[in-house]
Amino acid sequence: MPQNHYDVVIVGAGIAGSALANGLSTLPRSKPWRIALVERSLAEPDRIVGELLQPGGVIALKKLGLESCLEGIDAIPVRGYCVVENGKSVHIPYPGSHEGRSFHHGRFIMRLREAARRAKGVEVVEGTVNGLTEDDSGKVVGVRFTRKGGEGEADVKEELSADVTIVADGCFSNFRNTVMGSVAAKPTTKSHFFGAVLEDARLPIPNHGTVALVKGYGPVLLYQIAGHDTRILIDLKTPLPSDPKAEILTNIVPQLPASLHLPIQTALEKERLRKMPNSFLPPVEQGTKRSKKGAILIGDSWNMRHPLTGGGMTVALSDVVLLRKLLGSVDDLREWTEIQQTLHSWHWDRKPLASTVNILSVALYDLFGADDEELRVLRTGCFKYFECGGECINGPVSLLSGIAPDPMLLAYHFFYVAFYSIWVMFTHPAPISTSEDDDEKPVYVRPSLVQYPALFIKAVRVFWTACVVFGPLLWSEIRWWSSNDSTKKTQLPVSTLLSIAVLTAATVYSLPSLALLGVQ
């Protein structure tokens, strides 16, 4: 074979690409695959997201033998969350001895690239991929790229051929539409994270991520990423304000814990605010008649969720674990029919974890960034649900952290929160305004029997809102029509039928639990 031919070419040396290159190199084969890992720039990246690895991601990293990549980068152990609202806080620890890690994104990436560079059969190439090359049948057979020339040398245009080309070029993928063709989904962006680094900030609970819920805006996230550095991410919805910095200082910072005011003001004076879109991109099955043969998408180029829960790297690394195992059973990478079967298995095998994280991230964002009255009821109920402690914390945080990849458990807790929110609305004191002065403390009064008829109507709207939030997200994960296969259209997979049953079963299962919470 020519020197520029590889068994696998991977486009993008980020989280998924670097981990996959290393993972494929460790497969027990008589002859290791020859792998090219192509990255536009091998300099340390500087991003404001991808800095919190949930315990589920740490578990996946260990399965790949890459846990050493968390060492020597000043990574901080993360043991759970603290949710703050209106001066109140609730502690949400990870169950058992589970821990996550937070770090500077670029440092972690560099360690993953070093591991890939040391891996047997892997060649790391610095160059910009300009396009995917195809044969006469339209199958992708490699990439065209421009290799950076040395000092005083011109850049060189080259081609690499491969039996399989894997695209892992991130959320702004240049090749998503090329690979998926007419079935390509379009990312939706509801908001942006604006980020900065705070120096020596004191969080409410050390070694815990902080989620601050603020009125009129999306949530604010804070977590320590190094010994003296704390990342702050402030969610601003579209359309964005003309002066985000002034908006944050005037309306958001005063709602945060007082210990954070000065570090935030200092950080915003010293550095510019950087932003990243918070996009949602549901996964569409690959290896179908309408997608390109010879190419596979992985990571954010294929599937994205809201970064509120920090689940992106966990899903990416877990996808790498599964895809590595499945590709390891393929006898000949040139046989696309065999790869198609592998991609179908991968699509559904990843569902328990990926669907749980995807749905939870967007559903929580809708609740925490509540815009209307019904969502605010659910948001209040969610906060009080956490205050119940016990399984009301262990269950949701196990789902969020990737420890318990169980869509059924997710549906159960989501609708448990919905019913509990309705219970809270009927039984707990609610604030009422006694004057037009916003600074005056609100008066809390329990609903009277006279208000019950109106509350019953509102309860129906609240439950319907919960269904509207959860239902479309569930459907985006279990849809089957994108396969463009008539046999699959006429007969749903068993896993799809089971997933459809989740919504109904969780609703029925949650009803008796409302009475139990009422007793508490």
Side-chain angles (χ1 to χ4, degrees):
M1 300 297 291
Q3 287 299 308
N4 68 339
H5 180 83
Y6 295 83
D7 296 287
V8 180
V9 166
I10 301 175
V11 180
I15 300 293
S18 299
L20 184 59
N22 186 86
L24 294 178
S25 74
T26 60
L27 287 170
R29 303 182 60 84
S30 57
K31 182 182 178 182
W33 280 332
R34 191 164 179 242
I35 302 166
L37 179 61
V38 187
E39 170 59 39
R40 177 176 56 84
S41 172
L42 293 176
E44 182 174 316
D46 183 16
R47 298 181 64 197
I48 64 171
V49 293
E51 297 173 316
L52 176 62
L53 185 63
Q54 297 285 5
V58 175
I59 292 171
L61 206 62
K62 290 179 179 178
K63 290 180 179 179
L64 294 168
L66 293 172
E67 64 268 28
S68 61
C69 293
L70 293 172
E71 299 172 2
I73 59 173
D74 200 13
I76 304 297
V78 180
R79 302 188 178 97
Y81 282 88
C82 174
V83 180
V84 179
E85 183 183 28
N86 293 332
K88 297 181 179 179
S89 64
V90 59
H91 182 205
I92 306 177
Y94 293 138
S97 59
H98 290 286
E99 283 188 349
R101 292 290 187 275
S102 53
F103 38 70
H104 280 279
H105 174 82
R107 297 176 188 175
F108 183 51
I109 290 290
M110 295 305 285
R111 292 303 301 273
L112 288 175
R113 290 175 181 173
E114 290 169 10
R117 189 178 282 109
R118 293 192 303 267
K120 190 174 182 180
V122 176
E123 180 183 346
V124 180
V125 180
E126 186 171 34
T128 301
V129 175
N130 305 311
L132 307 178
T133 56
E134 302 177 15
D135 62 13
D136 294 338
S137 67
K139 179 182 179 181
V140 175
V141 292
V143 300
R144 302 185 305 275
F145 77 103
T146 302
R147 187 192 295 266
K148 288 187 176 182
E151 186 175 350
E153 298 178 353
D155 294 346
V156 180
K157 292 185 177 181
E158 299 182 22
E159 290 190 11
L160 301 177
S161 63
D163 296 334
V164 171
T165 301
I166 299 177
V167 177
D169 60 345
C171 59
F172 302 111
S173 176
N174 293 317
F175 307 108
R176 179 186 298 130
N177 293 336
T178 301
V179 174
M180 297 307 299
S182 60
V183 296
K186 185 178 180 180
T188 57
T189 301
K190 293 183 179 180
S191 66
H192 288 72
F193 264 147
F194 285 78
V197 174
L198 314 183
E199 293 183 7
D200 296 318
R202 183 165 54 88
L203 297 179
I205 304 179
N207 295 105
H208 284 64
T210 298
V211 181
L213 308 183
V214 296
K215 294 180 181 178
Y217 298 90
V220 177
L221 306 184
L222 298 107
Y223 43 88
Q224 191 177 357
I225 58 175
H228 298 279
D229 299 341
T230 296
R231 171 65 68 192
I232 182 171
L233 295 173
I234 302 162
D235 184 90
L236 293 180
K237 300 175 184 178
T238 55
L240 297 176
S242 57
D243 189 348
K245 185 175 292 188
E247 187 82 11
I248 291 168
L249 290 171
T250 304
N251 299 320
I252 295 179
V253 172
Q255 300 188 56
L256 302 178
S259 62
L260 297 171
H261 291 183
L262 183 58
I264 294 174
Q265 291 168 359
T266 302
L268 296 188
E269 289 173 1
K270 291 175 59 178
E271 61 176 287
R272 66 180 180 87
L273 269 176
R274 301 171 59 199
K275 70 176 181 178
M276 279 288 293
N278 296 329
S279 300
F280 175 63
L281 178 66
V284 177
E285 184 171 351
Q286 303 183 62
T288 65
K289 293 179 180 179
R290 286 185 285 180
S291 60
K292 284 287 183 184
K293 296 180 180 179
I296 302 172
L297 295 172
I298 192 171
D300 284 352
S301 62
W302 177 43
N303 179 207
M304 288 184 281
R305 74 288 310 150
H306 197 284
L308 169 65
T309 58
M313 290 189 291
T314 296
V315 172
L317 291 170
S318 299
D319 281 352
V320 168
V321 170
L322 288 174
L323 186 60
R324 171 191 177 273
K325 179 181 178 181
L326 291 169
L327 287 178
S329 64
V330 174
D331 294 326
D332 189 349
L333 293 178
R334 292 170 295 184
E335 291 295 328
W336 186 245
T337 302
E338 193 173 357
I339 298 292
Q340 284 180 302
Q341 297 172 352
T342 294
L343 293 177
H344 180 72
S345 299
W346 181 45
H347 182 78
W348 293 105
D349 289 351
R350 68 186 292 273
K351 283 296 178 184
L353 186 139
S355 295
T356 298
V357 175
N358 291 346
I359 294 172
L360 182 60
S361 68
V362 181
L364 271 183
Y365 176 74
D366 285 344
L367 264 59
F368 287 173
D371 284 326
D372 55 43
E373 182 61 29
E374 288 75 25
L375 284 172
R376 283 195 290 271
V377 170
L378 291 170
R379 168 171 153 172
T380 300
C382 184
F383 190 86
K384 291 184 177 293
Y385 184 74
F386 292 150
E387 289 182 327
C388 294
E391 190 55 30
C392 295
I393 284 180
N394 290 337
V397 79
S398 295
L399 294 163
L400 180 148
S401 61
I403 299 171
D406 186 349
M408 184 66 181
L409 183 64
L410 170 61
Y412 165 71
H413 279 286
F414 184 86
F415 284 97
Y416 204 148
V417 167
F419 287 122
Y420 187 54
S421 300
I422 295 171
W423 174 266
V424 167
M425 186 176 65
F426 274 92
T427 61
H428 287 222
I432 60 171
S433 58
T434 58
S435 69
E436 297 181 356
D437 186 2
D438 293 335
D439 295 331
E440 184 176 333
K441 290 185 178 180
V443 176
Y444 286 82
V445 178
R446 288 181 183 273
S448 64
L449 290 175
V450 176
Q451 296 174 285
Y452 274 26
L455 288 179
F456 275 116
I457 296 174
K458 188 175 181 179
V460 173
R461 297 203 310 268
V462 169
F463 182 72
W464 173 249
T465 299
C467 294
V468 168
V469 169
F470 192 85
L473 294 173
L474 176 65
W475 187 244
S476 72
E477 291 291 330
I478 64 176
R479 61 185 184 177
W480 72 95
W481 66 80
S482 60
S483 63
N484 195 33
D485 187 326
S486 59
T487 61
K488 292 176 186 175
K489 283 183 177 180
T490 56
Q491 183 176 4
L492 296 181
V494 174
S495 54
T496 300
L497 294 172
L498 290 174
S499 297
I500 293 175
V502 165
L503 189 60
T504 303
T507 303
V508 174
Y509 187 37
S510 298
L511 280 168
S513 303
L514 182 60
L516 294 177
L517 278 176
V519 172
Q520 292 176 359

Tab-separated table of all heavy atoms in Angstrom, residues 348 475 478-481 486-498 500:
chain	number	residue	atom	x	y	z
A	348	TRP	N	-27.797	2.391	18.714
A	348	TRP	CA	-28.744	1.998	19.750
A	348	TRP	C	-28.057	1.599	21.058
A	348	TRP	O	-28.620	1.787	22.137
A	348	TRP	CB	-29.644	0.877	19.240
A	348	TRP	CG	-30.539	1.378	18.145
A	348	TRP	CD1	-30.425	1.139	16.810
A	348	TRP	CD2	-31.660	2.257	18.289
A	348	TRP	NE1	-31.400	1.809	16.110
A	348	TRP	CE2	-32.178	2.497	16.988
A	348	TRP	CE3	-32.274	2.855	19.379
A	348	TRP	CZ2	-33.281	3.316	16.775
A	348	TRP	CZ3	-33.387	3.665	19.166
A	348	TRP	CH2	-33.871	3.885	17.874
A	475	TRP	N	-38.638	12.052	21.857
A	475	TRP	CA	-38.874	11.673	20.457
A	475	TRP	C	-37.638	11.918	19.594
A	475	TRP	O	-37.356	11.151	18.681
A	475	TRP	CB	-40.064	12.450	19.915
A	475	TRP	CG	-40.485	12.008	18.541
A	475	TRP	CD1	-40.462	12.749	17.399
A	475	TRP	CD2	-40.980	10.727	18.170
A	475	TRP	NE1	-40.913	12.007	16.339
A	475	TRP	CE2	-41.236	10.753	16.784
A	475	TRP	CE3	-41.217	9.548	18.871
A	475	TRP	CZ2	-41.724	9.652	16.084
A	475	TRP	CZ3	-41.717	8.450	18.180
A	475	TRP	CH2	-41.963	8.512	16.808
A	478	ILE	N	-35.536	8.750	19.954
A	478	ILE	CA	-35.996	7.419	19.565
A	478	ILE	C	-36.505	7.353	18.133
A	478	ILE	O	-36.903	6.294	17.662
A	478	ILE	CB	-37.114	6.934	20.504
A	478	ILE	CG1	-38.360	7.821	20.380
A	478	ILE	CG2	-36.626	6.879	21.942
A	478	ILE	CD1	-39.542	7.348	21.191
A	479	ARG	N	-36.504	8.477	17.413
A	479	ARG	CA	-37.053	8.473	16.051
A	479	ARG	C	-36.277	7.504	15.174
A	479	ARG	O	-35.076	7.315	15.325
A	479	ARG	CB	-37.010	9.875	15.460
A	479	ARG	CG	-35.611	10.451	15.348
A	479	ARG	CD	-35.661	11.865	14.863
A	479	ARG	NE	-34.321	12.390	14.674
A	479	ARG	CZ	-34.068	13.597	14.206
A	479	ARG	NH1	-35.057	14.390	13.877
A	479	ARG	NH2	-32.843	14.012	14.050
A	480	TRP	N	-36.963	6.934	14.239
A	480	TRP	CA	-36.366	5.905	13.398
A	480	TRP	C	-36.391	6.250	11.907
A	480	TRP	O	-35.722	5.623	11.107
A	480	TRP	CB	-37.144	4.596	13.591
A	480	TRP	CG	-38.497	4.631	12.959
A	480	TRP	CD1	-38.846	4.185	11.723
A	480	TRP	CD2	-39.681	5.192	13.518
A	480	TRP	NE1	-40.172	4.421	11.481
A	480	TRP	CE2	-40.710	5.030	12.563
A	480	TRP	CE3	-39.977	5.807	14.728
A	480	TRP	CZ2	-42.008	5.473	12.802
A	480	TRP	CZ3	-41.266	6.240	14.959
A	480	TRP	CH2	-42.266	6.070	14.001
A	481	TRP	N	-37.154	7.297	11.522
A	481	TRP	CA	-37.373	7.526	10.091
A	481	TRP	C	-36.111	7.917	9.342
A	481	TRP	O	-36.026	7.775	8.135
A	481	TRP	CB	-38.433	8.594	9.885
A	481	TRP	CG	-38.028	9.957	10.356
A	481	TRP	CD1	-37.246	10.848	9.706
A	481	TRP	CD2	-38.362	10.557	11.600
A	481	TRP	NE1	-37.069	11.990	10.459
A	481	TRP	CE2	-37.745	11.841	11.628
A	481	TRP	CE3	-39.107	10.156	12.695
A	481	TRP	CZ2	-37.872	12.693	12.709
A	481	TRP	CZ3	-39.238	11.025	13.753
A	481	TRP	CH2	-38.623	12.266	13.755
A	486	SER	N	-36.974	1.041	4.330
A	486	SER	CA	-38.398	0.746	4.376
A	486	SER	C	-38.734	-0.315	5.406
A	486	SER	O	-39.790	-0.284	6.041
A	486	SER	CB	-38.881	0.302	2.987
A	486	SER	OG	-38.163	-0.846	2.568
A	487	THR	N	-37.843	-1.275	5.609
A	487	THR	CA	-38.124	-2.329	6.585
A	487	THR	C	-38.132	-1.777	7.998
A	487	THR	O	-38.886	-2.217	8.847
A	487	THR	CB	-37.081	-3.452	6.478
A	487	THR	OG1	-35.783	-2.902	6.750
A	487	THR	CG2	-37.081	-4.064	5.103
A	488	LYS	N	-37.266	-0.783	8.246
A	488	LYS	CA	-37.221	-0.192	9.580
A	488	LYS	C	-38.390	0.761	9.788
A	488	LYS	O	-38.816	0.990	10.906
A	488	LYS	CB	-35.908	0.557	9.785
A	488	LYS	CG	-34.700	-0.354	9.838
A	488	LYS	CD	-33.426	0.445	9.954
A	488	LYS	CE	-32.197	-0.457	9.861
A	488	LYS	NZ	-30.951	0.311	9.859
A	489	LYS	N	-38.920	1.319	8.702
A	489	LYS	CA	-40.045	2.238	8.833
A	489	LYS	C	-41.329	1.495	9.178
A	489	LYS	O	-42.165	2.003	9.901
A	489	LYS	CB	-40.246	3.014	7.534
A	489	LYS	CG	-39.244	4.131	7.322
A	489	LYS	CD	-39.579	4.875	6.066
A	489	LYS	CE	-38.631	6.055	5.876
A	489	LYS	NZ	-38.935	6.811	4.656
A	490	THR	N	-41.475	0.285	8.651
A	490	THR	CA	-42.704	-0.447	8.865
A	490	THR	C	-42.701	-1.214	10.179
A	490	THR	O	-43.748	-1.608	10.660
A	490	THR	CB	-42.935	-1.432	7.706
A	490	THR	OG1	-41.791	-2.290	7.596
A	490	THR	CG2	-43.113	-0.685	6.397
A	491	GLN	N	-41.518	-1.437	10.751
A	491	GLN	CA	-41.447	-2.176	12.005
A	491	GLN	C	-40.450	-1.494	12.934
A	491	GLN	O	-39.246	-1.483	12.666
A	491	GLN	CB	-41.028	-3.633	11.743
A	491	GLN	CG	-41.019	-4.468	13.008
A	491	GLN	CD	-40.702	-5.914	12.720
A	491	GLN	OE1	-40.422	-6.274	11.602
A	491	GLN	NE2	-40.777	-6.736	13.742
A	492	LEU	N	-40.938	-0.944	14.036
A	492	LEU	CA	-40.071	-0.232	14.958
A	492	LEU	C	-39.168	-1.201	15.699
A	492	LEU	O	-39.581	-2.303	16.039
A	492	LEU	CB	-40.906	0.546	15.975
A	492	LEU	CG	-41.793	1.675	15.443
A	492	LEU	CD1	-42.510	2.318	16.608
A	492	LEU	CD2	-40.992	2.684	14.688
A	493	PRO	N	-37.919	-0.795	15.996
A	493	PRO	CA	-37.050	-1.617	16.831
A	493	PRO	C	-37.656	-1.781	18.221
A	493	PRO	O	-38.403	-0.925	18.700
A	493	PRO	CB	-35.748	-0.802	16.894
A	493	PRO	CG	-35.821	0.139	15.743
A	493	PRO	CD	-37.264	0.417	15.528
A	494	VAL	N	-37.333	-2.891	18.860
A	494	VAL	CA	-37.842	-3.152	20.206
A	494	VAL	C	-37.431	-2.023	21.159
A	494	VAL	O	-38.208	-1.582	22.004
A	494	VAL	CB	-37.319	-4.506	20.723
A	494	VAL	CG1	-37.727	-4.715	22.182
A	494	VAL	CG2	-37.879	-5.638	19.861
A	495	SER	N	-36.175	-1.550	21.011
A	495	SER	CA	-35.694	-0.490	21.893
A	495	SER	C	-36.526	0.776	21.735
A	495	SER	O	-36.750	1.517	22.687
A	495	SER	CB	-34.220	-0.181	21.597
A	495	SER	OG	-34.045	0.106	20.230
A	496	THR	N	-37.002	1.033	20.512
A	496	THR	CA	-37.846	2.200	20.285
A	496	THR	C	-39.187	2.054	20.988
A	496	THR	O	-39.674	2.972	21.645
A	496	THR	CB	-38.076	2.405	18.779
A	496	THR	OG1	-36.821	2.604	18.151
A	496	THR	CG2	-38.974	3.587	18.517
A	497	LEU	N	-39.785	0.871	20.855
A	497	LEU	CA	-41.068	0.631	21.507
A	497	LEU	C	-40.946	0.767	23.022
A	497	LEU	O	-41.822	1.320	23.685
A	497	LEU	CB	-41.575	-0.768	21.136
A	497	LEU	CG	-41.934	-0.973	19.658
A	497	LEU	CD1	-42.236	-2.435	19.390
A	497	LEU	CD2	-43.123	-0.109	19.270
A	498	LEU	N	-39.839	0.254	23.564
A	498	LEU	CA	-39.629	0.367	25.010
A	498	LEU	C	-39.484	1.825	25.422
A	498	LEU	O	-39.998	2.252	26.461
A	498	LEU	CB	-38.387	-0.427	25.423
A	498	LEU	CG	-38.520	-1.952	25.347
A	498	LEU	CD1	-37.168	-2.606	25.635
A	498	LEU	CD2	-39.561	-2.456	26.322
A	500	ILE	N	-40.735	4.441	23.925
A	500	ILE	CA	-42.027	5.115	23.837
A	500	ILE	C	-42.854	4.829	25.092
A	500	ILE	O	-43.595	5.685	25.578
A	500	ILE	CB	-42.787	4.664	22.566
A	500	ILE	CG1	-42.062	5.168	21.311
A	500	ILE	CG2	-44.226	5.146	22.584
A	500	ILE	CD1	-42.675	4.668	20.028
